Amino acid sequence: MKNRIVALLLLLMFVVSAAMAQSSQKEKILPYPIHQKKLDNGLNVVTVPYNSPGLAAFYIVVRAGSREEVEKGKTGFAHFFEHMMFRGTDKYSKEAYGDIMKEMGAAANANTSIDRTVYHMTGNAEMLDKMFEIEADRFQNLKYSVHDFKTEAGAVKGEYTKNSANPYQQLYEKLVSTAFNKHTYSHTTMGFFEDVVDMPNQYDYSLTFFDRFYRPEYSTIVVVGDVTPERVNNLAQQYFGDWKRGNYKPNIPTEPKQTQTRYAHVQQQGFPPYLSLNFKGPAFSDKDKDLPALSILTTILFSENSDLYRKLVVDEQKARFIGGGPQFSRDPNLISVSASVIKADDMQYVKDELMKALNEAKTKPVDAQKLADTKSRIKYGFAMSMDSPDAIANSLSRFIWLTGDPESLNNIYGVFDTITAQDLMNAAKKYFVNQTLTVGTIAPGEKSPAK
């Protein structure tokens, strides 16, 4: 009898413990456990088992983007390596790498932004060993000749030239270089044009850049799908365990406080007039309320079901669309509100209406039901998008490059739940001020029609 009572008590404890763990997991926006293991060399390994029989997403997040390009004349290299990493190694040529992708039924690609470079593939989970092998090889043994380097640098220049023909891209370049004087957010991911032109002469520096940032302490492996943490961790140790840690840390300059409104204008005939209001915002934090409050507020003010959207776009037909929100980034960046204006002559009116809405938000509390509905819609929209290994890995990668910790995804959505109408007013008062505003415009005239 005594043994049976002890057994029952142990069973009860197990059930209660399991229920508590399940309850704790349910409180998180991502309903799947995130397993993490840090190797001795600093490489973080993240695994999320997900019911996708035979399928796995394999991501490597390198926390080096255009933000890390601190040396004068040396911008654009983070994006350059997005290209160069597919050039091959002694063991696996570019062609052999492509053949393996086909064999796995996988698609591999990469993209670069201000705070990171992300490499990703999705394929046969049974060939996870091969995914680890070929990625470990190129991350540790990338090799390219001067000729290959110059060829790829030429391709990057061609990409820059193509993109810069777009007036929106022209405005974005002017906008960030106007809004930021010292911080590296002053140049785009593509880099400054003069640096892109000179890139073919920078072979030696390219080796330095790779040696600095393609290191385990800058990197996180994310595997989501039909996998187990044990298998992923073992493969990570097997293929990446000998990857040598580096010792380079860039000195990112601090942006001085902006004290007056700035302007960036692109003259363009025959192009839809465009207005962009950009206020200095906060750096990402998974604990502070500012970014969630700004995200909720701008959604309420400028989304397609907002009063102002209905007024400017539907009723008055002064604009084709309005929208905006804060940028989630490692350092303080911009909160952008934009409008595609029907007629350039109406740009000042549209600007005044946008500013009126932002200023009213400082003292006018948002309706409680509207606030609750907006928070619910934001969270529900995210939760519904988590429907594949690739979608989950991509979302985790975003928060890994922001903080280094994938749990920041769950943390920040937890903060969303706590936001009140007062938090929205506090954020509006703090950030929507003329002193930190940079106005960007595209219009036919030589000067901006918005003051």
Side-chain angles (χ1 to χ4, degrees), residues 258 260-263 275-280 297-298 301-302 308-309 311-312 322-323 335-339 341 346-364 427-441 450-451:
Q258 185 175 335
Q260 62 182 14
T261 302
R262 300 171 184 171
Y263 297 88
L275 169 68
S276 180
L277 307 179
N278 303 271
F279 301 86
K280 291 287 172 58
L297 179 59
T298 50
L301 293 179
F302 306 119
L308 189 58
Y309 189 98
K311 178 182 180 180
L312 292 177
I322 62 172
I335 311 159
S336 300
V337 179
S338 60
V341 184
D346 290 326
M347 192 173 288
Q348 184 63 46
Y349 172 77
V350 172
K351 176 180 180 290
D352 291 343
E353 288 296 307
L354 295 175
M355 290 299 299
K356 179 182 175 183
L358 293 171
N359 286 324
E360 286 181 350
K362 298 174 183 178
T363 57
K364 183 179 178 181
K429 291 174 187 175
K430 184 175 180 180
Y431 293 103
F432 296 129
V433 293
N434 288 329
Q435 289 90 336
T436 71
L437 171 62
T438 300
V439 180
T441 51
K451 305 302 180 187

Side-chain angles (χ1 to χ4, degrees), residues 265-286:
H265 177 63
V266 171
Q267 182 181 11
Q268 186 69 42
Q269 298 282 347
F271 193 82
Y274 184 78
L275 169 68
S276 180
L277 307 179
N278 303 271
F279 301 86
K280 291 287 172 58
F284 178 82
S285 165
D286 62 3

Side-chain angles (χ1 to χ4, degrees), residues 18-292:
M20 289 175 66
Q22 187 177 25
S23 173
S24 174
Q25 191 62 39
K26 282 182 179 179
E27 293 173 0
K28 298 181 177 182
I29 189 72
L30 188 69
Y32 315 107
I34 300 171
H35 302 271
Q36 296 191 69
K37 180 179 181 180
K38 183 152 289 192
L39 302 189
D40 291 342
N41 58 10
L43 176 67
N44 197 25
V45 184
V46 176
T47 310
V48 178
Y50 176 79
N51 186 21
S52 56
L55 196 64
F58 185 107
Y59 276 56
I60 299 183
V61 182
V62 181
R63 297 183 77 201
S66 53
R67 171 184 179 270
E68 279 63 39
E69 296 166 352
V70 296
E71 293 156 302
K72 184 175 176 59
K74 304 292 194 296
T75 62
F77 275 89
H79 169 253
F80 171 80
F81 272 99
E82 173 199 322
H83 290 248
M84 211 67 209
M85 284 291 284
F86 291 91
R87 274 282 170 178
T89 67
D90 285 340
K91 185 174 183 180
Y92 292 109
S93 66
K94 179 180 179 180
E95 293 72 24
Y97 185 90
D99 291 341
I100 292 172
M101 289 296 107
K102 292 177 183 177
E103 183 183 349
M104 293 191 295
N109 214 326
N111 57 79
T112 312
S113 189
I114 56 176
D115 290 329
R116 85 306 184 270
T117 308
V118 175
Y119 299 87
H120 57 93
M121 68 174 71
T122 300
N124 187 346
E126 293 182 359
M127 299 188 71
L128 188 62
D129 187 296
K130 181 58 73 173
M131 291 185 191
F132 267 94
E133 181 191 345
I134 60 175
E135 294 303 87
D137 179 51
R138 67 172 178 160
F139 269 75
Q140 297 172 71
N141 304 311
L142 179 68
K143 188 175 182 180
Y144 52 88
S145 66
V146 174
H147 174 76
D148 288 342
F149 171 81
K150 290 188 175 183
T151 299
E152 205 60 58
V156 169
K157 180 183 176 183
E159 183 181 348
Y160 181 98
T161 303
K162 178 182 177 182
N163 290 347
S164 64
N166 186 323
Y168 292 125
Q169 182 64 24
Q170 293 173 27
L171 178 61
Y172 178 64
E173 283 195 33
K174 277 194 175 184
L175 193 59
V176 294
S177 63
T178 301
F180 296 97
N181 291 330
K182 290 191 68 177
H183 194 280
T184 46
Y185 288 162
S186 62
H187 65 268
T188 68
T189 302
M190 290 293 295
F192 290 121
F193 177 68
E194 57 269 26
D195 297 345
V196 175
V197 170
D198 188 54
M199 191 173 281
N201 302 317
Q202 298 292 336
Y203 175 80
D204 289 341
Y205 179 77
S206 75
L207 301 178
T208 298
F209 187 94
F210 183 79
D211 184 65
R212 286 174 175 175
F213 296 111
Y214 281 73
R215 294 287 186 175
E217 70 272 21
Y218 279 96
S219 306
T220 299
I221 293 173
V222 184
V223 183
V224 181
D226 188 9
V227 298
T228 65
E230 293 76 17
R231 185 183 180 206
V232 171
N233 291 338
N234 288 338
L235 288 171
Q237 183 61 49
Q238 178 182 348
Y239 289 106
F240 286 92
D242 292 334
W243 194 10
K244 301 301 181 185
R245 189 185 185 103
N247 56 17
Y248 177 78
K249 291 184 180 180
N251 182 20
I252 310 296
T254 300
E255 181 66 23
K257 186 176 181 180
Q258 185 175 335
T259 57
Q260 62 182 14
T261 302
R262 300 171 184 171
Y263 297 88
H265 177 63
V266 171
Q267 182 181 11
Q268 186 69 42
Q269 298 282 347
F271 193 82
Y274 184 78
L275 169 68
S276 180
L277 307 179
N278 303 271
F279 301 86
K280 291 287 172 58
F284 178 82
S285 165
D286 62 3
K287 299 176 180 63
D288 294 341
K289 289 187 174 186
D290 285 358
L291 272 175

